[in-house]
Amino acid sequence: MGVTGSSGGRVVYADLLRIIATFAVIVTHVSSGGWESSSVSSMEWHVFNVYDTSVRWAVPVFVMLSGMFLLDPGKELPAGKIYKKYILRIILAIAVWGLFYRCTDIAISKYIRHKEISRNAAIVEILEIPFGTAWFHLWYLYMIIGLYVMTPIYRVFTRSAGKKEACYLLAVFAIAGICLPFVKKILLCIHPRLDLNLSVAETVNYTGYFFAGHYLSKASLSQKQRRLVFMAGTLSFVITAVGTATVSMRAGKGSELFYGNLAPFAMMEAVMVFILARSLWEGKPFSARFTDVIAKLSSCTFGIYLLHIFMIRLWDMAGLTASFISPILAVPLLSVAVFAGSLAVTLLLRKVPLCRAVM
């Protein structure tokens, strides 16, 4: 029996996009290791740069998907439900997985690298968890809690705002939260005294992506508008890759000037990927079996995200890094292996009720 792109309460294009974005995050972390350790004059570094550049949209798309669902005024979502269903789960995940990564790191340092870890140092490691540094990739969970806390207020806006107000909000985000901070970086590269003293990015931050997900999931874009978005997004990929290579080679080391989730190019890439996914898959007929598989995979993406750094570390200890063969092949092969391994462990752990609560 065929079903459409939205079935049984699921939005298939959003599930597909969530799975692809999860894989993109893995590609980022697989390629970034080689990007940081390779010489910028080597061909390997340029390969890593291209891979890293191609997936810079992943985190913004995650935030957009959250906004797409949580800011929908047609969905009943009282503040109590947000705290009990979403925020509590994330807090538990931070505590459990922060403890897991910290303890794993201590064990590896002591028993594999044979480094002495004092009791006080171990205690400090654990105490860092509630202060925003559970583990480096878990920063996202702290940020998303902030967005969820503000969601009841944001939903008041989406219930009453028209198209003009929504466009104004997104324009403020693009200018104040994305473009001005990037201009500030450029000016500081030219001369340290050219400091644009406007600290507005923190005010806007990821909220713009949150609202963009809601807006773009509802907006009816013309063919011309979609073409412009696709052109801008594609050009952003090229600018990021070429710009990063140019600045890095001049500096003699990797530069993240064009990188960052709040860079204008990442914004355009994320908008393009979101609109492309919606254009390709919204309302398209899918078999019930395909929809069920995609829904199952989508429900595992949180666990995959939590686990993938541990999987990368396991492969690394086995000698399988992004440079174990030509990076052109190593990055996608290792990313698939990390994704598959994380998925397998997630499926196993989700059979345990207590584990399911934090995955």
Side-chain angles (χ1 to χ4, degrees):
M1 180 179 67
V3 296
T4 63
S6 179
S7 178
R10 309 269 337 164
V11 180
V12 181
Y13 85 82
D15 282 335
L16 285 165
L17 189 51
R18 187 174 291 108
I19 295 165
I20 295 169
T22 302
F23 184 76
V25 168
I26 293 174
V27 173
T28 297
H29 289 141
V30 167
S31 58
S32 63
W35 185 91
E36 292 170 356
S37 61
S38 301
S39 169
V40 294
S41 61
S42 67
M43 182 57 66
E44 288 78 10
W45 184 90
H46 289 282
V47 172
F48 290 129
N49 182 47
V50 170
Y51 275 121
D52 208 347
T53 296
S54 68
V55 289
R56 283 284 150 180
W57 50 267
V59 170
V61 163
F62 273 132
V63 180
M64 292 165 75
L65 286 170
S66 293
M68 170 182 171
F69 292 104
L70 296 186
L71 296 181
D72 185 357
K75 179 180 179 181
E76 284 293 326
L77 193 62
K81 184 177 181 180
I82 293 173
Y83 276 86
K84 291 177 183 177
K85 184 177 180 180
Y86 300 105
I87 295 178
L88 179 59
R89 184 190 183 197
I90 294 174
I91 291 174
L92 290 173
I94 289 172
V96 171
W97 289 98
L99 188 63
F100 169 79
Y101 276 104
R102 291 285 175 178
C103 290
T104 301
D105 192 55
I106 291 170
I108 290 174
S109 296
K110 184 173 182 178
Y111 298 110
I112 296 179
R113 296 173 182 165
H114 303 292
K115 293 182 179 179
E116 286 298 322
I117 304 293
S118 68
R119 180 179 297 180
N120 287 341
I123 292 173
V124 170
E125 285 273 327
I126 303 304
L127 290 178
E128 286 183 350
I129 294 171
F131 295 102
T133 53
W135 205 248
F136 76 90
H137 74 298
L138 300 181
W139 70 268
Y140 177 84
L141 302 185
Y142 296 89
M143 180 273 294
I144 207 70
I145 286 176
L147 290 178
Y148 286 175
V149 167
M150 294 300 298
T151 293
I153 305 301
Y154 293 160
R155 284 172 58 83
V156 174
F157 178 86
T158 56
R159 278 197 301 267
S160 58
K163 182 178 179 181
K164 185 180 294 185
E165 290 79 14
C167 289
Y168 173 78
L169 177 72
L170 295 178
V172 170
F173 163 68
I175 296 169
I178 299 292
C179 295
L180 284 180
F182 183 72
V183 170
K184 181 174 181 175
K185 287 183 180 179
I186 295 291
L187 292 174
L188 286 173
C189 286
I190 297 172
H191 196 283
R193 295 188 65 181
L194 296 176
D195 189 2
L196 188 65
N197 193 24
L198 293 172
S199 299
V200 291
E202 292 79 5
T203 303
V204 183
N205 214 313
Y206 288 87
T207 299
Y209 286 131
F210 205 51
F211 277 101
H214 166 72
Y215 178 78
L216 294 175
S217 69
K218 306 292 185 183
S220 297
L221 301 180
S222 66
Q223 190 69 28
K224 182 179 180 181
Q225 288 173 323
R226 285 199 295 269
R227 279 201 298 266
L228 287 173
V229 169
F230 296 155
M231 287 172 60
T234 302
L235 184 60
S236 293
F237 283 119
V238 176
I239 292 174
T240 304
V242 175
T244 299
T246 302
V247 174
S248 296
M249 291 181 73
R250 286 182 177 178
K253 61 180 180 178
S255 169
E256 296 186 352
L257 177 64
F258 287 82
Y259 282 1
N261 301 321
L262 296 173
F265 310 111
M267 176 187 68
M268 286 310 308
E269 293 167 13
V271 170
M272 183 192 74
V273 170
F274 191 97
I275 292 175
L276 180 60
R278 186 182 171 199
S279 300
L280 289 175
W281 297 316
E282 186 179 39
K284 297 297 188 295
F286 296 106
S287 69
R289 181 176 177 80
F290 177 81
T291 304
D292 289 342
V293 171
I294 293 302
K296 182 73 171 178
L297 282 173
S298 180
S299 70
C300 291
T301 53
F302 186 46
I304 295 170
Y305 174 80
L306 294 168
L307 270 164
H308 79 278
I309 294 298
F310 178 67
M311 286 294 166
I312 291 174
R313 174 171 277 189
L314 286 181
W315 286 115
D316 183 69
M317 288 190 296
L320 297 177
T321 67
S323 302
F324 80 100
I325 54 175
S326 170
I328 295 175
L329 296 175
V331 171
L333 289 176
L334 188 55
S335 298
V336 169
V338 169
F339 184 93
S342 301
L343 173 61
V345 175
T346 297
L347 288 170
L348 286 173
L349 291 179
R350 281 171 63 88
K351 294 181 182 295
V352 181
L354 288 177
C355 292
R356 190 181 183 90
V358 293
M359 299 187 76

